[in-house]
Amino acid sequence: MAMTQHLPTGTVTFFFSDVQDSTGLLQRLALPAFRDVLERHAHIVRACLAAHDGIEVSTEGDSFFAVFTRTEDALAAASDVQQRLATAQWPEGGVVALRIGLHTGVGVLGHDNYVGLDVNRAARISASGHGGQVVVSETVRVLASGYSFTSLGEHVLKGLDQPERLYQLDVAGLPQTFPPLRTPSTRPNNLPTLASHIVGRELERAALRRLVEANRLVTVTGPGGIGKTRLALEVAGDVLGRFERGVFFVDLAPIDDEELLIPAIASAAGVRPSDDGGLAGALSDGPRLLVLDNFEQLATAAPRLAKLMSGAPPLDVLATSQVPLRVAGEALMRLDPLAVGDESSPAVALFAERAQQADPAFDFAAHRADVLRLVDALEGVPLAIDLAAARVNVLTPAQVLDRLDTGVLKSTRADSPERHRSITAAVEWSYGLLTHAQQELLQALSAFRGGATLAAIEAVFGRDPLEDLGELVDRSLVETSTGRVGKRFGLSTSVQRYASAQVADAELSLRHADHFADLAEDARRPLDDAAASRWVAVLGDDIDNLRAALDTLLARGDIQRGFAVLGGSWRFYQLTGRLDELELWLGRFFAADGGAQTAERTRALLARAALHYWRSQWQLASDDY
């Protein structure tokens, strides 16, 4: 790696490259031959970089990161690399195909590397290409002279909000035709946009990508807060181009009912089950990847997933779970804490970057020794590091460290794994910094599933939450997202579990259930098309809260209220293809019904009759009606 003080700043051109299908190369070649091929490739790349005044910043496996002070030099180096690789002598099955990405932007140094959107944009551009291809940004094309380019159109790059117009460098004497770029805009997906880039997981990311490419079912395991979800999302974006039918993220954290697994998958993937409730047929139309997050919530549903995959051969699954799924064909990857060591270690790099985000004036050099001791005390657990770094806007690293030494971050639970204790303690400590009103609000937020609107929070909390909610968002204890009908607020799994354990208000779950029951019953009113579309959006955003409300009503024996909810919202289930789920809830409430003839029960009977009607089960529909 180049020394930081020798790296140029200001306007620079970033160069990223990596070998296409290096796993395939390894499988086709014996290990010694594979090493020789990679070393020959590295020699060619380094020679071309040096010949055109490029500075090698870092390497990772078969990837290179370099920087140039002149755009033309970067283009010359990229052309030179591709031409020399194309004419080199390779063993049978060992041809190296290199994808290269270039972007000219602002070079800003942070800690021991470049930071900022421009370097991330360059990496994403490189990842979008194919072996033998050089993909460049609009700024490279505008600044270059004497080169020919082919427009590839606008593309949405993973993690970036605005589409980028990309171009292909026409390299003399080499093929100019390649498949479509491997960008999210060319494959269906619902992958969330990530607010920051992953730090310190380069080796794990490459290893997980190889596992996903070689196995149909891969499970990332590890304790809560270790970064399983983040790593899975990064890799899902990396392999998006391989799945013609798309990649779909399914958050299972709000679900603890195994019978809801298949409906949740169907909803996220945008497919409808068959009449018999099966989903395999709908998922057999081409390659598709499901990212099933927090599967430990539904550990008993693993056989259902295995059966689904058996019936849908093109379907692949990447799961995250604190425990293995323990089904045939499962490949496991255990995610450990970040390495802790000197200031170049991943754990320190993560703290330094997150601290800079919390306080742009944070001076790492002035606190180097304290940061090293603090990160070591946090055992390299990413969630603990994130929460500790977020506090540098009010405390120095030394002050944070003093709080650790008092035992505030030490769990007294003997049955907790050691690494779990750091996560629990980090959340507990952040919770202890809140005012009493903020703690109560965090407890109220823990009642929601899948987030909530400001209006819903106010209804359940019982008073105006706006000021305290803003403080919780600033402290990174509350996450924000945009639903179909506006901004939503929610908790990470770890924070939600901790806050739930602090709840002393026995009426909280009842207020939550009553609010969403009222919301669902309101949907029963006569609606025009525009109003119906709005209710579909409203209830779609809050489907997990609606499920929780129905669970609460069932548990407290409020069967008539449950009938009212289902009788009011059945059109939502029909319009969104959730007939299986509607049948499930109707069956549960009717099973607990005492048989009294009420208006609420009659509306539920009409809902069940409509369900049978849509399935062409005429006799059953007539019986209900």
Side-chain angles (χ1 to χ4, degrees):
M1 176 182 289
M3 296 298 292
T4 304
Q5 59 267 34
H6 295 151
L7 295 176
T9 56
T11 301
V12 298
T13 298
F14 297 108
F15 170 111
F16 281 91
S17 73
D18 73 290
V19 174
Q20 177 173 282
D21 193 25
S22 59
T23 301
L25 279 177
L26 179 58
Q27 292 174 338
R28 291 190 296 271
L29 301 173
L31 185 57
F34 176 72
R35 288 176 180 157
D36 290 343
V37 163
L38 289 190
E39 287 177 4
R40 193 181 312 171
H41 139 264
H43 175 77
I44 290 173
V45 173
R46 286 194 170 102
C48 294
L49 293 177
H52 299 284
D53 297 325
I55 300 172
E56 181 181 325
V57 180
S58 64
T59 60
E60 187 67 53
D62 53 42
S63 302
F64 275 84
F65 172 26
V67 66
F68 295 78
T69 56
R70 297 179 68 251
T71 301
E72 289 84 355
D73 289 340
L75 288 164
S79 297
D80 199 3
V81 168
Q82 297 292 27
Q83 288 169 335
R84 292 183 60 177
L85 288 174
T87 57
Q89 296 299 311
W90 305 103
E92 182 178 353
V95 176
V96 171
L98 196 70
R99 59 172 68 94
I100 298 175
L102 304 177
H103 171 61
T104 300
V106 180
V108 178
L109 294 175
H111 191 35
D112 61 354
N113 209 331
Y114 287 101
V115 296
L117 281 178
D118 280 324
V119 68
N120 291 338
R121 183 173 287 110
R124 298 294 189 236
I125 290 172
S126 174
S128 73
H130 299 275
Q133 188 176 32
V134 180
V135 183
V136 307
S137 66
E138 175 83 15
T139 54
V140 170
R141 186 196 66 82
V142 169
L143 293 173
S145 59
Y147 289 90
S148 174
F149 301 91
T150 298
S151 176
L152 301 175
E154 286 194 341
H155 291 264
V156 176
L157 299 176
K158 187 165 73 78
L160 301 178
D161 294 333
Q162 299 300 318
E164 301 283 335
R165 184 166 293 280
L166 300 179
Y167 298 83
Q168 175 182 299
L169 173 64
D170 298 331
V171 181
L174 298 184
Q176 305 301 319
T177 302
F178 296 92
L181 292 183
R182 308 180 315 141
T183 60
S185 53
T186 61
R187 290 288 187 266
N189 74 93
N190 68 342
L191 297 177
T193 299
L194 302 175
S196 59
H197 69 278
I198 195 167
V199 177
R201 293 296 194 190
E202 292 81 9
L203 292 176
E204 294 91 340
R205 183 175 177 176
L208 182 56
R209 187 167 61 242
R210 289 192 294 269
L211 280 175
V212 171
E213 290 171 348
N215 299 273
R216 289 189 60 206
L217 172 59
V218 179
T219 305
V220 182
T221 66
I226 207 69
K228 301 184 295 295
T229 301
R230 183 54 188 272
L231 181 63
L233 287 172
E234 290 285 347
V235 171
D238 292 344
V239 302
L240 181 59
R242 296 182 59 244
F243 295 92
E244 179 184 351
R245 294 297 180 180
V247 176
F248 300 93
F249 178 76
V250 187
D251 182 11
L252 301 177
I255 302 173
D256 57 7
D257 184 342
E258 66 175 83
E259 292 188 64
L260 295 178
L261 172 65
I262 300 304
I265 290 174
S267 178
V271 297
R272 294 196 174 195
S274 59
D275 289 343
D276 63 1
L279 198 58
L283 296 176
S284 296
D285 56 348
R288 185 185 275 104
L289 176 68
L290 299 178
V291 182
L292 304 182
D293 192 41
N294 293 295
F295 207 97
E296 67 270 9
Q297 297 286 113
L298 297 173
T300 58
R304 292 174 184 255
L305 176 63
K307 181 179 179 181
L308 174 64
M309 296 183 69
S310 176
L315 178 65
D316 286 5
V317 170
L318 170 58
T320 73
S321 177
Q322 293 188 13
V323 294
L325 275 56
R326 298 186 178 94
V327 296
E330 180 184 27
L332 292 174
M333 177 177 177
R334 168 76 182 189
L335 194 59
D336 291 320
L338 293 170
V340 178
D342 59 24
E343 63 186 80
S344 65
S345 68
V348 174
L350 176 62
F351 184 94
E353 177 157 321
R354 299 296 189 256
Q356 195 75 36
Q357 293 170 353
D359 179 8
F362 177 73
D363 184 357
F364 174 81
H367 301 281
R368 180 181 288 106
D370 290 330
V371 170
L372 290 175
R373 289 191 293 140
L374 174 58
V375 169
D376 182 64
L378 295 175
E379 303 174 319
V381 177
L383 176 59
I385 293 172
D386 275 342
L387 291 171
R391 300 281 74 80
V392 301
N393 62 337
V394 292
L395 300 172
T396 67
Q399 289 173 320
V400 176
L401 192 60
D402 286 342
R403 289 174 176 262
L404 300 182
D405 291 341
T406 63
V408 174
L409 291 181
K410 298 292 185 180
S411 172
T412 59
R413 288 186 56 186
D415 61 342
S416 292
E418 189 64 27
R419 290 166 185 155
H420 280 198
R421 297 179 186 180
S422 295
I423 298 167
T424 302
V427 177
E428 183 179 28
W429 173 60
S430 293
Y431 184 85
L433 294 176
L434 303 177
T435 65
H436 182 66
Q438 290 164 0
Q439 290 178 347
E440 288 186 331
L441 177 55
L442 202 65
Q443 292 172 23
L445 285 166
S446 73
F448 294 93
R449 298 295 179 265
T453 63
L454 181 62
I457 296 169
E458 186 171 13
V460 174
F461 188 42
R463 56 182 184 269
D464 183 6
L466 190 58
E467 183 175 347
D468 286 331
L469 187 61
E471 180 67 19
L472 293 177
V473 171
D474 288 343
R475 290 174 177 267
S476 300
L477 287 171
V478 172
E479 301 172 346
T480 62
S481 62
T482 302
R484 279 160 285 193
V485 291
K487 185 175 284 295
R488 298 180 65 79
F489 304 87
L491 306 179
S492 69
T493 301
S494 298
V495 174
Q496 181 153 17
R497 287 173 177 166
Y498 181 85
S500 294
Q502 313 309 310
V503 173
D505 184 358
E507 297 295 314
L508 183 61
S509 65
L510 302 183
R511 293 199 301 271
H512 174 274
D514 286 340
H515 173 75
F516 288 100
D518 289 343
L519 191 70
E521 289 181 66
D522 284 346
R524 185 171 60 88
R525 296 173 300 175
L527 303 172
D528 57 24
D529 289 345
S533 296
R534 179 182 178 276
W535 275 111
V536 166
V538 168
L539 295 180
D541 278 350
D542 278 310
I543 181 63
D544 292 319
N545 284 310
L546 182 57
R547 289 164 177 161
L550 288 168
D551 268 334
T552 299
L553 293 175
L554 194 61
R556 74 184 188 188
D558 197 345
I559 307 305
Q560 297 304 316
R561 191 72 194 279
F563 282 153
V565 171
L566 296 170
S569 59
W570 60 265
R571 288 284 292 173
F572 161 74
Y573 288 96
Q574 183 254 332
L575 291 171
T576 58
R578 291 183 169 93
L579 295 183
D580 286 350
E581 185 170 347
L582 176 60
E583 181 181 39
L584 174 69
W585 288 117
L586 286 168
R588 289 175 174 177
F589 277 90
F590 274 111
D593 176 32
Q597 298 301 313
T598 64
E600 292 81 6
R601 187 177 188 275
T602 300
R603 287 199 293 269
L605 281 171
L606 288 172
R608 192 166 69 177
L611 169 71
H612 294 319
Y613 172 81
W614 289 317
R615 288 178 169 171
S616 301
Q617 297 168 328
W618 312 117
Q619 186 58 51
L620 291 174
S622 176
D623 292 344
D624 277 328
Y625 192 78

